[in-house]
């Protein structure tokens, strides 16, 4: 085998080894690629965020909104998610049981309502 041919084969094999590694680094680092578990976490968080928005809307759309907002402001910080759960605002339309993961983001959103109102 000629020296030129062996060099081409050597660099070709290195290209086959290093090329996919570089593509994966670029794809996962800057290309926005994700693995299935990361995608599932992102999707679950998006669902919680949307449900929290619905929870806040349900809180705002009640008849005695001003009274409930004032009462919410007086509740201790560590009990605010319980207040949301007891009020039933974390229960989504069509659901029989509320998702407990919605309470804290919803309470944070209602807290923002208080801050923007002031």
């Amino acid at each position: 085998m000629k020296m030129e041919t062996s060099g081409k084969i050597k660099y070709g094999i290195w290209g086959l080894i290093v090329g996919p590694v570089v593509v994966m680094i670029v794809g996962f680092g800057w290309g926005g690629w994700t693995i299935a578990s990361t995608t599932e976490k992102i999707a679950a968080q998006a669902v919680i965020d949307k449900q929290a928005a619905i929870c806040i809307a349900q809180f705002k759309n009640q008849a005695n909104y001003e009274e409930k907002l004032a009462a919410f402001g007086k509740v201790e910080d560590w009990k605010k998610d319980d207040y949301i759960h007891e009020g039933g605002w974390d229960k989504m339309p069509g659901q029989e049981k509320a998702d407990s993961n919605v309470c804290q983001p919803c309470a944070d959103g209602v807290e923002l309502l208080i801050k923007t109102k002031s």
Side-chain angles (χ1 to χ4, degrees), residues 94-108:
Q95 284 184 339
E96 290 183 24
K97 185 180 175 195
D99 186 358
S100 62
N101 294 328
V102 176
C103 293
Q104 187 60 49
C106 182
D108 294 342

Side-chain angles (χ1 to χ4, degrees), residues 48-103:
I48 295 294
D49 292 344
K50 294 298 179 189
Q51 288 178 340
I54 292 169
C55 175
I56 295 165
Q58 291 179 146
F59 185 89
K60 285 178 69 173
N61 290 334
Q62 61 187 328
N64 54 352
Y65 164 68
E66 295 293 332
E67 295 171 15
K68 292 291 186 178
L69 191 61
F72 181 84
K74 295 176 184 174
V75 174
E76 296 175 31
D77 285 341
W78 59 278
K79 289 186 177 181
K80 289 188 177 189
D81 55 340
D82 291 334
Y83 183 80
I84 294 293
H85 182 68
E86 289 168 5
W89 301 294
D90 60 339
K91 184 178 171 194
M92 298 296 111
Q95 284 184 339
E96 290 183 24
K97 185 180 175 195
D99 186 358
S100 62
N101 294 328
V102 176
C103 293

Side-chain angles (χ1 to χ4, degrees), residues 5-20:
T5 307
S6 67
K8 290 178 184 179
I9 291 174
K10 178 178 149 184
Y11 289 118
I13 291 173
W14 276 111
L16 289 173
I17 294 170
V18 175

Side-chain angles (χ1 to χ4, degrees), residues 65-66 69-70 72-74 80 109-118:
Y65 164 68
E66 295 293 332
L69 191 61
F72 181 84
K74 295 176 184 174
K80 289 188 177 189
V110 174
E111 188 73 34
L112 283 174
L113 290 176
I114 293 173
K115 289 179 183 177
T116 57
K117 189 170 176 91
S118 302

